[in-house]
Amino acid sequence: MSDSATGDAHRVTGDAGRAEAAGRVARDVDQVAADAGDGTRAVRAGLPEPAKYEPTLPGPVFAAHYHLPGEPTGPYTYGRDENPTWTLLERAVGELEAPGQDGVETLVFASGMAATSAVLFSQLRAGDVCVLPDDGYQALPLVRAQLEAYGIEVRTAPTGGDAQLDVLDGAKLLWIETPSNPGLDVCDIRRLAEAAHARGALVAVDNTLATPLGQRPLELGADFAVASGTKQLTGHGDVLLGYVVGRNPGAMAAVRRWRKIVGAIPGPMEAWLAHRSIATLQMRVDRQSATALAVAEALRERSEVTGLRYPGLPGDPAHEIAARQMRRYGCVVSFTLPTRARADRFLDALRLVDDATSFGGVRSTAERRGRWGGDAVPEGFIRLSVGAEDPEDLVADVLRALDASAA
């Protein structure tokens, strides 16, 4: 054999050895991720293999196109299809939503509604039947109108009491939102998924309020976990983002195709900010959930407060089901004050809580949901998102604002 041929053989052997070693490292990392606690998993989620002189989390890749000589066989061809920054974020979300599960794919989107639309409009055709919650996110009525305009039959049912079971026959897709926004009702994901699958329907779960640290819909039998990463996943109120996680290759291929057609892609900076923020997810979720329970317990003692809901509160109508399928109960507490004027005075009197929409941020926010006109809630209904402030300070501020608003 010539020196050249010998050198080539050695290089091939070396490449194969490095590839095998890299594969072992990847498998070891996957196993560590599957076995790790939530905090460890969040801190390490989606990070690339360590490389000398390279950052632990590479910065955002701003590229519309890539060097592409010859046939386009590599992973990155054009910025609307793939981006290295998305890849790392998608890996991170997948490790949180489905740790240790094989064959799970994650796709990130420009917003939670982009992710929601991608699932619904990629899976349904004219003549299909879809089941939506009638007490879910405010934009779902807009989605329903568009689905019906495309010839898709939409049935609705409330989240609580597994009412969806009564309208599942003939459905192609069941959309679950649990806990529901803003009413915080909970349904049994596993029971509904089994019933839907028995009827040939796919199941998608909006996991925004729970986060992957609160519940893992795929482990409970869902086909898709969908969420707005704008909320507690990123937690700083500075990113619009959504994602879809699924294990059915054909269904996820259709979701990916929809993303390509519509172009509902996140910017690389947003993707990088989201990935950076995930590292503190467990600390934020634990702090916010504990404080939310403290706020709910304090509100329970107030006579002017009615309709108090928090899934983690013993005695809440949803607590029994939530305790079976959730590991953390979220950061949102909802309740009703006697009048619209009383609610407005309460919000104005708060000092540590911003009057703002959205939820899940490190700074507490609250709003009177009736001002938007899209939720079936009383005029005095308040959605309070608990942040990362000291629990005693936040509870004191809420109680002081209730006292001040009584005048």
Side-chain angles (χ1 to χ4, degrees):
M1 182 180 290
S2 67
D3 290 344
S4 175
T6 301
D8 289 343
H10 287 165
R11 278 192 294 276
V12 170
T13 302
D15 290 344
R18 282 191 293 273
E20 182 181 353
R24 285 197 302 270
V25 171
R27 288 190 295 274
D28 290 343
V29 170
D30 289 344
Q31 189 58 50
V32 169
D35 296 339
D38 286 340
T40 301
R41 187 180 297 111
V43 167
R44 306 295 306 177
L47 297 182
E49 294 301 320
K52 193 173 184 178
Y53 307 124
E54 294 294 328
T56 54
L57 177 62
V61 175
F62 298 100
H65 60 268
Y66 305 84
H67 289 295
L68 201 64
E71 294 299 317
T73 57
Y76 304 108
T77 58
Y78 186 62
R80 189 184 63 245
D81 299 327
E82 292 288 354
N83 177 290
T85 311
W86 304 352
T87 300
L88 296 179
L89 174 60
E90 288 170 342
R91 186 188 306 168
V93 172
E95 289 172 6
L96 296 176
E97 284 280 2
Q101 295 188 42
D102 295 328
V104 171
E105 182 178 3
T106 302
L107 297 170
V108 291
F109 289 82
S111 67
M113 280 308 301
T116 297
S117 299
V119 172
L120 291 169
F121 291 104
S122 70
Q123 304 303 312
L124 297 168
R125 302 289 184 272
D128 287 341
V129 176
C130 175
V131 177
L132 298 179
D134 63 11
D135 55 351
Y137 180 52
Q138 185 187 42
L140 286 181
L142 300 176
V143 173
R144 175 180 183 172
Q146 193 60 55
L147 289 168
E148 291 175 337
Y150 289 158
I152 296 162
E153 179 186 343
V154 178
R155 302 171 186 165
T156 62
T159 298
D162 298 335
Q164 301 92 332
L165 291 171
D166 295 331
V167 293
L168 273 180
D169 286 349
K172 174 70 177 300
L173 188 145
L174 168 63
W175 185 273
I176 296 171
E177 187 178 301
T178 181
S180 60
N181 174 28
L184 302 183
D185 250 333
V186 172
C187 57
D188 190 327
I189 296 174
R190 189 181 301 279
R191 183 182 184 207
L192 289 171
E194 290 173 354
H197 291 155
R199 292 163 171 82
L202 295 169
V203 178
V205 176
D206 184 332
N207 205 32
T208 303
L209 266 162
T211 82
L213 301 193
Q215 68 190 8
R216 297 180 186 138
L218 297 190
E219 290 184 356
L220 296 168
D223 300 288
F224 302 100
V226 187
S228 168
T230 308
K231 310 300 193 297
Q232 198 171 17
L233 185 84
T234 54
H236 290 79
D238 54 8
V239 171
L240 283 172
L241 192 87
Y243 67 78
V244 178
V245 184
R247 64 162 58 88
N248 183 306
M252 288 302 293
V255 175
R256 179 183 289 275
R257 182 172 179 271
W258 180 266
R259 183 178 71 173
K260 178 182 177 74
I261 292 170
V262 178
I265 58 172
M269 190 65 193
E270 287 80 1
W272 184 86
L273 284 169
H275 197 170
R276 175 216 59 178
S277 300
I278 284 174
T280 62
L281 179 62
Q282 182 261 344
M283 291 182 283
R284 290 186 283 107
V285 168
D286 279 355
R287 174 62 170 263
Q288 290 169 266
S289 298
T291 305
L293 179 59
V295 169
E297 289 173 338
L299 288 170
R300 185 170 54 182
E301 304 304 317
R302 300 291 299 219
S303 60
E304 69 269 51
V305 170
T306 60
L308 176 65
R309 297 301 303 269
Y310 182 66
L313 188 66
D316 184 276
H319 182 69
E320 182 180 350
I321 295 175
R324 291 202 302 264
Q325 69 187 22
M326 299 182 72
R327 296 175 295 128
R328 297 169 176 87
Y329 299 106
C331 63
V332 176
V333 178
S334 67
F335 58 95
T336 300
L337 294 176
T339 64
R340 171 177 177 170
R342 178 73 185 271
D344 286 338
R345 291 197 301 270
F346 167 73
L347 293 169
D348 188 58
L350 291 166
R351 295 293 173 263
L352 299 180
V353 183
D354 296 330
D355 191 342
T357 195
S358 197
F359 57 86
V362 291
R363 289 172 290 279
S364 293
T365 61
E367 67 172 339
R368 190 181 62 79
R369 285 298 294 175
R371 66 180 177 172
W372 298 104
D375 294 309
V377 295
E379 284 289 343
F381 181 93
I382 300 290
R383 185 182 70 184
L384 171 62
S385 173
V386 172
E389 298 88 358
D390 286 322
E392 57 271 21
D393 292 338
L394 189 59
V395 169
D397 189 46
V398 168
L399 296 180
R400 183 196 56 76
L402 283 174
D403 290 337
S405 67

